[in-house]
Each structure stands twice: as C-alpha cells, then as structure tokens.
Amino acid sequence: MTDDRVQRRAADLLPEERAAGSADPRAQAEAILADSDEREDTLAAPPGTFLEHRASAQTVTPVDGTR
C-alpha cells in the first residue's frame, strides 16, 4: 500500500465515514484500504457472509416477462 494512496483515501473519506468522525483519518484510510485489498486478493465472501456463485443457466426464467 503506497503512502500516496493512503493520503488520497484519507483526504477523500465518504460522507458516512466523515459523519462517524475519526481522530486519525490516515489510520482509518489504512484500515479501509487493507480490508479492501484483502477482499480483492482472496475473492471470497466477506467475513460472516455467504457468497453464492451461479451460472446464468441456473437462474429462473421470469413468468409473463416480469422481472
């Protein structure tokens, strides 16, 4: 994780992150980016959730053209 990337993320917190407040936006940005990188690297479901993968052939066809 680059210092520049962390600084950009700390300067550009989301509105809900700003509303929650932070004594250390840089540390908050590092934690957010570390979590994001981990999720991207593993391509697995987030902790405590179940991610289901289906092929398009396994989906249900809508009745009467409804969605």
Side-chain angles (χ1 to χ4, degrees), residues 9-23 25 28-29 31-33:
R9 183 64 175 90
D12 199 24
L13 293 176
L14 298 174
E16 56 270 23
E17 294 166 346
R18 287 187 191 281
S22 176
Q28 184 177 354
I32 291 167
L33 291 171

Side-chain angles (χ1 to χ4, degrees), residues 2-47:
T2 65
D3 190 51
D4 184 50
R5 182 176 175 222
V6 173
Q7 284 185 309
R8 283 193 326 264
R9 183 64 175 90
D12 199 24
L13 293 176
L14 298 174
E16 56 270 23
E17 294 166 346
R18 287 187 191 281
S22 176
D24 189 351
R26 182 175 172 73
Q28 184 177 354
E30 286 177 355
I32 291 167
L33 291 171
D35 182 63
S36 176
D37 289 346
E38 182 181 334
R39 290 176 191 225
E40 191 174 273
D41 288 344
T42 61
L43 295 179

